[in-house]
Amino acid sequence: MHPFDHLAPETLDAAVEALAGDEDAQALAGGMSLVPVLRHRLAAPSALIDLSRIPGLSFVREEGDRVVIGAMTRHAVVAASPELGRRIPALARLAGDIGDPLVRNRGTIGGSLANNDPAACYPCALLGLGAVVRTNRREIAADDFILGTFETALEPGELIVAVTFPVPDLAVHLKEKNFASRFSVVGLFLSRRGGQVRIGITGAGPHAFRPTAFEEALTADFRPDALKGLAVPAEELNTDQHASAAYRSHLISVLAERAVERCLAGDGDARGDRA
Amino acid sequence: MTSAPTRTIRLKVNGHPVEETVECRMPLAELLRDRLRLTGTHVGCDTSQCGACTVHVDGVAVRSCTLFAVQADGAEVLTIEGVGEPGALHPLQAAFQEHHALQCGFCTPGMIMTALELLRREARPTPETVRRYLEGNICRCTGYYNIVKAILATAEAGTAEQKASEGGGHAPL
Amino acid sequence: MFVGKPLRRREDVKFVSGKGRFVDDLLPAQTAHVAFVRSPHAHARIGSIDVDQARHADGVLRVLTAADWEAAGNGKLVCVHPMPFSDGRPMNEVLRPAFAAGKVCHVGDIVAAVIAETKHAAVDAAELVEIDYEVLPANVETARALDADCPLVHEEFGVNLINEVVHGDREATDAAFAKAAHITELTLVSNRLAAMPLEPRAYLADHDVERDETTLWATAQMPHMLRQWICRYALHLPEHRLRVIAPDVGGGFGVKGNFTPEIPTIVWMARELGRPVKWTCTRAEALQSDSQGRDHVTHARMAFDEEGRILGLEVETLACLGAYLSNFAPSIPGNSYPQTLTGLYRTPAAYARVRGVYTNTVPIDAYRGSGRPEATLVNERLLESGAREMGIDVVEMRRRNLLSREDFPYKTPIGRTYDSGDPQAMLDKLLALADYEALRREQARRRADEGRLMGIGLAVFLDKSGTGPSKSLARKGGLHGGYETACVRVNSDGGVTLFMGTHSHGQGHDITYAAIAADQLGLDIDAIEVVEGDTGRIAHGNGTWGSRSVSVGGAALHRACGEVMAKAHRIAAHLLEVRMEEVRYEPPLFAVPGSNRSVSFAEVADVAYHGARLPADHSIEPGLESTVFHDPDDSNDPSAMHLAVVEVDARTGRVALERYLTVDDCGTVINPMIVEGQVHGGLAQGLGQALMENVVYDPASGQLLSGTFMDYAMPRASDMPPLAMDFHASPTPSNVLGAKGGSETGTIGPPAALTNAIVDALWHLGVRDLRMPLTPGRVWEAIAQAQSGRDS
């Protein structure tokens, strides 16, 4: 790797300042995405601003009808959280299926969202639940957060502090994996809240997205049949050595139907807890 | 040409205090292997997937290729060399031998480190749980069957031990 | 008796404690490091190479290109198993260059090397080497390689053809097809694989200037062969100047048996600089430089009579060998592959034409299975498809065609004579293990009651191991021998050291050889030490590959033990002052029955090494050891049968592996625990080929798309199916132990068994064939295509 400096500030302000003072500095969360990039010499930051020593960024908290997760909370902690397991079990399951146990011991929700890999898991839940990303400067709604491939609304020096997830009535996460990377070939997160259906899809296109036609159909009529004839056009999706766009399009439809079936079957894990 | 930034770090490795001055870009795996000559931790890939480099940092199993040595400043690191006693294998190590859970031996330290964490988190895992827990450790030799067997056997013996002792002790490491 | 018991391995203690000694663990003082500059293009002319900036970078000692290699008078990386055209013409040979000169022919082709004080300095400086490339059209598709408009990898031949090898009888096969009641025809692809042993290749060479001796620590499966190749072909050194040591090696599967371009450069530089020089391959480099496996495109037909009995087999194969010829490469499609094409079936007539072709890809060479997975895919897909097409149960089809024990030795129409086997009995075992009738009932029930798609598929096949007679290798073009070497050296205290010419990289040779020797010498296992992997300590051996260590190495060991025992017996008789016939060995004592006189093995050893008490007439010399170079009379033919049970989710294409069953015949089993472990590991790689492993090149750009483990998938623990195994030993006459190789069958069966199983699940939907890897996407597409074919 190219050489770089390593700083581990102990406050958020110090981290922001360090990033502001050096445009080539990069924030380091769990390192699961960044470190391989550095090892392959695909990036050459001048310094890594390590966020792990900043207190108060790792938590899972209930706040009324929301669950708030701190940006530096490791996937393993999210997956094992009793609060999340009770309120939004599908999200806990998603976290518990990211990568592998070693990845889950280090990877963080903030790092994953900031990186915005088009096949990462969290982005589909971000969209599927209509979450809000809280940064050191502002709050960004999920729909405004994801802009492009590896591109988010975060501005230089802006750090994610927490992510707020509204608790749904029902939610399901389904993932068909890339056998090599263990990322999603298609990952789908569906939620229903007061009749409104949201769906987030990851792994299939240039970035995570919402198939709004599916959402409208299911909001009007929450049954698998409501999706008949609907499909995300293959032209909008990726073809790679692992799966064709046509297959991805088909898989989205299948997973959407199955997600609805799971909800209707009263699958305990699908049930959110708005109480 | 500017030289690479360095730091002096202080940590504990297998219970022993260590003080080293390292480049910030030095992965923990390199500190362990090249500097401390603890070569039991192996490097098998460059995309943080194979798990051959697994160690415990402050009690958590992590890939030492994906952590920089400077990130371990102030931490307690456990490597395969710190497992078991000289001349007395840890039950899991003994089980690996007993059940032929290794062939070339290259993935073995990483497997053991991951399995130790699993057994600490779950005293009696199901075979399915064991298999899922090993997803981050690739083996090209054994087909995994005997590795799973060794871990399950250790779990069973461990809980038998626990039942036999008074007031329930700790699960092994 | 130690042979036949599941003895635990002694080396495990060090491995589980992290005390293994792998090449990358070695870091002597003053080690210099190497970084290679590799082509990013699949095919390009090399214009200028500017090494000036690199040469002057911090810590850089040398920067090398082809010009430096030439100027040093260095040689070539010779292909040690060439295979000419069947009509006698020499093959169109282009060897792997140590440094590409003139042009680069695959992504990863080495253009330059930087040697520097540190790894960082070498890698940083490598980026400063400026190379002017003129990109040329490339072809990375095997099926296209002989098309008229296909770009040529090497213009000098005018074609991408390497050789054309023909086996069998064209006329007899044509006649068989002419009278066939049914002909099945398929196009089959054996997908390209990367072996990916978990330990990357690594080499450390050190040169002792005063003694003019170089030592190379290498991740090598054949230390002696490697020494020979480097000295004789690449660097023109007297062999005694180079010592090759293979310490602990973390998996090989064939790729560490190859003579790759990096190796001679490392040795050369160590000698030139007079200090240690080290290189460890990164995983990304490994995918661009380790030799790869398989990559066949085959059109094949099988002819049957009305009863489904095979009349003939006709095979046309394009076998990709990459951009250059790696050392064993031509022999795999040219020899190993055709030899097992007819498998375990009575096949009256067969014809195979195999054409090796160049493409702009990494060179192909031996990878566990080497030709037999490709052959089994052809034979077994045709057989099962034939059965389905004719409405005959796939097991019944095997019954009608399988050889029986009495048919052996069986001369195949391809040329090889199979030495031993009992296929009908093995099939009985497999079906019993699987409870085949119950599986079929369950399959019918699930489909009728629940609309679920369960599939059952078999693969029955022959393997080829224990290579082999040196003359036979030479006849087929080999430039190396097939014998194996064992030295049994009794120490003066009665303990024994075995020096073996093979090399374990996970196969447990230590306990295996120790068991054989312990039984032969009547000693305890603990008295026996095994040494492998050091040309400085061991006489020339041919190494470990092709499942030959027990068959050939074990046979050599058996003989050497016999000679040691014979001499020990003579010494004992001399000490006891009786004739040889009056002494009986009742371990550990040589005794005179009917008396209380005896002498122990340890005492015999002591006398042998002291010398004074040996006969005055020198009829028995001092010492107690024997070195045997055993050239076998034949290689041998293990066989195995696999059965796969799957369920296909038709909507996602996902294939659930419910069960996998195997029955193996590897003859006499020395250590059942180790043999089972070999099958387990082979299965993981076989299932890998069938379901997920795939080296992918982009046809448009020639770029390697599977460049890291992010894209090259390998099975994890959770991907392995529930497994049941059985064994059936029909000992081989080819060696005194009756042992056949047991470590490759796992890779051979799954491609055919799983493809057959999935076709079985989907046949009624119109699916007839699928290409590996059988990913969910491909399975779904096969169903979709079959359905749209029906609807139109």
Side-chain angles (χ1 to χ4, degrees), chain C residues 669-703:
Chain C
V669 172
I670 310 296
N671 186 319
M673 177 189 83
I674 288 182
V675 170
E676 280 179 26
Q678 291 298 303
V679 178
H680 291 173
L683 282 176
Q685 290 177 312
L687 294 176
Q689 170 166 26
L691 298 172
M692 62 182 77
E693 294 189 40
N694 205 19
V695 174
V696 181
Y697 285 91
D698 174 28
S701 66
Q703 283 303 302

Short mmCIF file of all heavy atoms in Angstrom, two decimals, chain C residues 669-703:
data_model
loop_
_atom_site.label_atom_id
_atom_site.label_comp_id
_atom_site.label_asym_id
_atom_site.label_seq_id
_atom_site.Cartn_x
_atom_site.Cartn_y
_atom_site.Cartn_z
N VAL C 669 -6.08 -49.87 1.67
CA VAL C 669 -6.06 -48.57 2.34
C VAL C 669 -5.05 -48.60 3.48
O VAL C 669 -5.17 -49.40 4.39
CB VAL C 669 -7.47 -48.23 2.88
CG1 VAL C 669 -7.43 -46.99 3.75
CG2 VAL C 669 -8.43 -48.05 1.72
N ILE C 670 -4.06 -47.75 3.41
CA ILE C 670 -3.04 -47.71 4.46
C ILE C 670 -3.58 -47.02 5.71
O ILE C 670 -3.42 -47.50 6.83
CB ILE C 670 -1.77 -46.96 3.98
CG1 ILE C 670 -1.29 -47.48 2.63
CG2 ILE C 670 -0.67 -47.02 5.04
CD1 ILE C 670 -0.85 -48.92 2.63
N ASN C 671 -4.24 -45.89 5.52
CA ASN C 671 -4.80 -45.17 6.66
C ASN C 671 -6.18 -44.65 6.27
O ASN C 671 -6.29 -43.68 5.52
CB ASN C 671 -3.88 -44.01 7.07
CG ASN C 671 -4.33 -43.30 8.33
OD1 ASN C 671 -5.54 -43.07 8.51
ND2 ASN C 671 -3.41 -42.94 9.19
N PRO C 672 -7.24 -45.29 6.75
CA PRO C 672 -8.60 -44.91 6.30
C PRO C 672 -8.97 -43.48 6.64
O PRO C 672 -9.69 -42.83 5.90
CB PRO C 672 -9.51 -45.91 7.03
CG PRO C 672 -8.68 -46.51 8.10
CD PRO C 672 -7.25 -46.40 7.70
N MET C 673 -8.47 -42.98 7.74
CA MET C 673 -8.79 -41.60 8.13
C MET C 673 -8.25 -40.63 7.08
O MET C 673 -8.94 -39.68 6.68
CB MET C 673 -8.14 -41.32 9.49
CG MET C 673 -8.32 -39.93 10.00
SD MET C 673 -7.29 -39.64 11.46
CE MET C 673 -5.72 -39.24 10.70
N ILE C 674 -7.03 -40.89 6.63
CA ILE C 674 -6.43 -40.00 5.65
C ILE C 674 -7.11 -40.12 4.29
O ILE C 674 -7.38 -39.13 3.62
CB ILE C 674 -4.92 -40.28 5.55
CG1 ILE C 674 -4.26 -39.76 6.84
CG2 ILE C 674 -4.31 -39.62 4.32
CD1 ILE C 674 -2.77 -39.92 6.89
N VAL C 675 -7.42 -41.35 3.90
CA VAL C 675 -8.09 -41.53 2.61
C VAL C 675 -9.45 -40.84 2.61
O VAL C 675 -9.82 -40.16 1.65
CB VAL C 675 -8.22 -43.03 2.29
CG1 VAL C 675 -9.11 -43.24 1.08
CG2 VAL C 675 -6.85 -43.63 2.02
N GLU C 676 -10.19 -40.99 3.68
CA GLU C 676 -11.49 -40.30 3.76
C GLU C 676 -11.31 -38.80 3.65
O GLU C 676 -12.07 -38.12 2.95
CB GLU C 676 -12.20 -40.63 5.08
CG GLU C 676 -12.88 -41.97 5.06
CD GLU C 676 -13.54 -42.27 6.40
OE1 GLU C 676 -13.88 -41.31 7.12
OE2 GLU C 676 -13.70 -43.46 6.69
N GLY C 677 -10.32 -38.29 4.34
CA GLY C 677 -10.05 -36.86 4.29
C GLY C 677 -9.73 -36.40 2.88
O GLY C 677 -10.13 -35.31 2.47
N GLN C 678 -9.03 -37.24 2.13
CA GLN C 678 -8.72 -36.89 0.75
C GLN C 678 -9.99 -36.82 -0.10
O GLN C 678 -10.15 -35.94 -0.95
CB GLN C 678 -7.76 -37.92 0.15
CG GLN C 678 -6.36 -37.87 0.74
CD GLN C 678 -5.70 -36.53 0.50
OE1 GLN C 678 -5.57 -36.09 -0.63
NE2 GLN C 678 -5.34 -35.85 1.58
N VAL C 679 -10.90 -37.75 0.15
CA VAL C 679 -12.16 -37.71 -0.60
C VAL C 679 -12.96 -36.46 -0.23
O VAL C 679 -13.47 -35.76 -1.10
CB VAL C 679 -13.00 -38.99 -0.35
CG1 VAL C 679 -14.33 -38.91 -1.08
CG2 VAL C 679 -12.23 -40.22 -0.82
N HIS C 680 -13.01 -36.16 1.08
CA HIS C 680 -13.72 -34.94 1.51
C HIS C 680 -13.21 -33.72 0.77
O HIS C 680 -13.96 -32.90 0.24
CB HIS C 680 -13.47 -34.67 3.01
CG HIS C 680 -14.09 -35.65 3.93
ND1 HIS C 680 -13.85 -35.62 5.30
CD2 HIS C 680 -14.94 -36.68 3.74
CE1 HIS C 680 -14.52 -36.61 5.88
NE2 HIS C 680 -15.18 -37.25 4.97
N GLY C 681 -11.90 -33.57 0.79
CA GLY C 681 -11.29 -32.37 0.20
C GLY C 681 -11.48 -32.32 -1.31
O GLY C 681 -11.77 -31.27 -1.88
N GLY C 682 -11.35 -33.49 -1.94
CA GLY C 682 -11.57 -33.54 -3.38
C GLY C 682 -13.00 -33.16 -3.71
O GLY C 682 -13.26 -32.45 -4.69
N LEU C 683 -13.94 -33.62 -2.89
CA LEU C 683 -15.35 -33.32 -3.13
C LEU C 683 -15.61 -31.81 -3.08
O LEU C 683 -16.38 -31.28 -3.88
CB LEU C 683 -16.24 -34.01 -2.10
CG LEU C 683 -16.49 -35.49 -2.34
CD1 LEU C 683 -17.32 -36.06 -1.19
CD2 LEU C 683 -17.21 -35.71 -3.66
N ALA C 684 -14.97 -31.14 -2.12
CA ALA C 684 -15.18 -29.69 -2.03
C ALA C 684 -14.76 -29.04 -3.34
O ALA C 684 -15.44 -28.17 -3.88
CB ALA C 684 -14.41 -29.10 -0.86
N GLN C 685 -13.65 -29.50 -3.89
CA GLN C 685 -13.19 -28.90 -5.15
C GLN C 685 -14.06 -29.34 -6.32
O GLN C 685 -14.33 -28.57 -7.24
CB GLN C 685 -11.72 -29.24 -5.38
CG GLN C 685 -10.83 -28.50 -4.37
CD GLN C 685 -9.37 -28.85 -4.48
OE1 GLN C 685 -8.99 -30.01 -4.55
NE2 GLN C 685 -8.53 -27.82 -4.49
N GLY C 686 -14.53 -30.60 -6.29
CA GLY C 686 -15.43 -31.07 -7.35
C GLY C 686 -16.75 -30.33 -7.32
O GLY C 686 -17.26 -29.89 -8.36
N LEU C 687 -17.31 -30.16 -6.13
CA LEU C 687 -18.56 -29.40 -6.01
C LEU C 687 -18.32 -27.95 -6.39
O LEU C 687 -19.18 -27.29 -6.97
CB LEU C 687 -19.10 -29.48 -4.58
CG LEU C 687 -19.54 -30.86 -4.12
CD1 LEU C 687 -19.96 -30.84 -2.66
CD2 LEU C 687 -20.70 -31.35 -4.97
N GLY C 688 -17.14 -27.49 -6.07
CA GLY C 688 -16.77 -26.14 -6.46
C GLY C 688 -16.85 -25.94 -7.96
O GLY C 688 -17.45 -24.98 -8.45
N GLN C 689 -16.26 -26.90 -8.71
CA GLN C 689 -16.31 -26.78 -10.16
C GLN C 689 -17.75 -26.82 -10.64
O GLN C 689 -18.16 -26.07 -11.52
CB GLN C 689 -15.54 -27.91 -10.86
CG GLN C 689 -15.79 -27.93 -12.37
CD GLN C 689 -14.85 -28.76 -13.18
OE1 GLN C 689 -14.25 -29.71 -12.69
NE2 GLN C 689 -14.71 -28.40 -14.45
N ALA C 690 -18.52 -27.72 -10.04
CA ALA C 690 -19.88 -27.92 -10.53
C ALA C 690 -20.77 -26.71 -10.26
O ALA C 690 -21.60 -26.35 -11.09
CB ALA C 690 -20.50 -29.16 -9.88
N LEU C 691 -20.58 -26.08 -9.11
CA LEU C 691 -21.58 -25.10 -8.68
C LEU C 691 -21.14 -23.66 -8.65
O LEU C 691 -21.96 -22.75 -8.68
CB LEU C 691 -22.07 -25.47 -7.28
CG LEU C 691 -22.76 -26.83 -7.18
CD1 LEU C 691 -23.03 -27.18 -5.72
CD2 LEU C 691 -24.08 -26.81 -7.96
N MET C 692 -19.83 -23.40 -8.54
CA MET C 692 -19.49 -22.00 -8.34
C MET C 692 -18.13 -21.55 -8.86
O MET C 692 -17.97 -20.35 -9.16
CB MET C 692 -19.59 -21.65 -6.85
CG MET C 692 -18.64 -22.43 -5.95
SD MET C 692 -18.84 -22.01 -4.20
CE MET C 692 -20.32 -22.88 -3.77
N GLU C 693 -17.16 -22.43 -8.98
CA GLU C 693 -15.84 -21.96 -9.38
C GLU C 693 -15.80 -21.70 -10.87
O GLU C 693 -16.35 -22.45 -11.66
CB GLU C 693 -14.77 -23.00 -8.99
CG GLU C 693 -14.62 -23.17 -7.49
CD GLU C 693 -13.45 -24.03 -7.10
OE1 GLU C 693 -12.38 -23.92 -7.73
OE2 GLU C 693 -13.58 -24.82 -6.15
N ASN C 694 -15.15 -20.61 -11.26
CA ASN C 694 -15.09 -20.29 -12.69
C ASN C 694 -14.07 -19.19 -12.91
O ASN C 694 -14.21 -18.10 -12.33
CB ASN C 694 -16.47 -19.81 -13.16
CG ASN C 694 -16.68 -20.03 -14.64
OD1 ASN C 694 -16.00 -20.83 -15.27
ND2 ASN C 694 -17.62 -19.29 -15.21
N VAL C 695 -13.05 -19.47 -13.69
CA VAL C 695 -12.14 -18.39 -14.09
C VAL C 695 -12.78 -17.74 -15.31
O VAL C 695 -13.07 -18.42 -16.30
CB VAL C 695 -10.75 -18.93 -14.45
CG1 VAL C 695 -9.88 -17.82 -15.01
CG2 VAL C 695 -10.08 -19.56 -13.23
N VAL C 696 -13.02 -16.45 -15.22
CA VAL C 696 -13.76 -15.76 -16.28
C VAL C 696 -12.92 -14.68 -16.93
O VAL C 696 -12.36 -13.82 -16.25
CB VAL C 696 -15.04 -15.12 -15.69
CG1 VAL C 696 -15.84 -14.42 -16.80
CG2 VAL C 696 -15.90 -16.17 -15.01
N TYR C 697 -12.82 -14.74 -18.22
CA TYR C 697 -12.19 -13.68 -19.00
C TYR C 697 -13.27 -12.98 -19.82
O TYR C 697 -14.18 -13.62 -20.34
CB TYR C 697 -11.14 -14.26 -19.97
CG TYR C 697 -9.86 -14.71 -19.30
CD1 TYR C 697 -9.70 -16.01 -18.84
CD2 TYR C 697 -8.80 -13.82 -19.15
CE1 TYR C 697 -8.51 -16.42 -18.24
CE2 TYR C 697 -7.60 -14.21 -18.56
CZ TYR C 697 -7.47 -15.51 -18.11
OH TYR C 697 -6.30 -15.91 -17.52
N ASP C 698 -13.16 -11.67 -19.95
CA ASP C 698 -14.11 -10.92 -20.75
C ASP C 698 -13.78 -11.11 -22.23
O ASP C 698 -12.69 -10.77 -22.66
CB ASP C 698 -14.02 -9.43 -20.38
CG ASP C 698 -14.88 -8.56 -21.28
OD1 ASP C 698 -15.90 -9.07 -21.79
OD2 ASP C 698 -14.54 -7.38 -21.46
N PRO C 699 -14.70 -11.67 -23.01
CA PRO C 699 -14.40 -11.94 -24.42
C PRO C 699 -14.04 -10.68 -25.20
O PRO C 699 -13.24 -10.73 -26.13
CB PRO C 699 -15.70 -12.55 -24.97
CG PRO C 699 -16.46 -12.99 -23.78
CD PRO C 699 -16.05 -12.11 -22.64
N ALA C 700 -14.64 -9.56 -24.81
CA ALA C 700 -14.40 -8.33 -25.58
C ALA C 700 -13.00 -7.77 -25.33
O ALA C 700 -12.30 -7.40 -26.28
CB ALA C 700 -15.46 -7.29 -25.22
N SER C 701 -12.59 -7.71 -24.08
CA SER C 701 -11.32 -7.04 -23.78
C SER C 701 -10.20 -7.99 -23.42
O SER C 701 -9.05 -7.59 -23.35
CB SER C 701 -11.53 -6.10 -22.59
OG SER C 701 -11.81 -6.89 -21.44
N GLY C 702 -10.53 -9.26 -23.17
CA GLY C 702 -9.51 -10.20 -22.72
C GLY C 702 -9.16 -10.04 -21.25
O GLY C 702 -8.30 -10.72 -20.73
N GLN C 703 -9.82 -9.12 -20.56
CA GLN C 703 -9.52 -8.87 -19.15
C GLN C 703 -9.95 -10.03 -18.27
O GLN C 703 -10.97 -10.67 -18.52
CB GLN C 703 -10.24 -7.61 -18.67
CG GLN C 703 -9.57 -6.32 -19.13
CD GLN C 703 -8.12 -6.27 -18.67
OE1 GLN C 703 -7.83 -6.34 -17.49
NE2 GLN C 703 -7.21 -6.13 -19.61
#
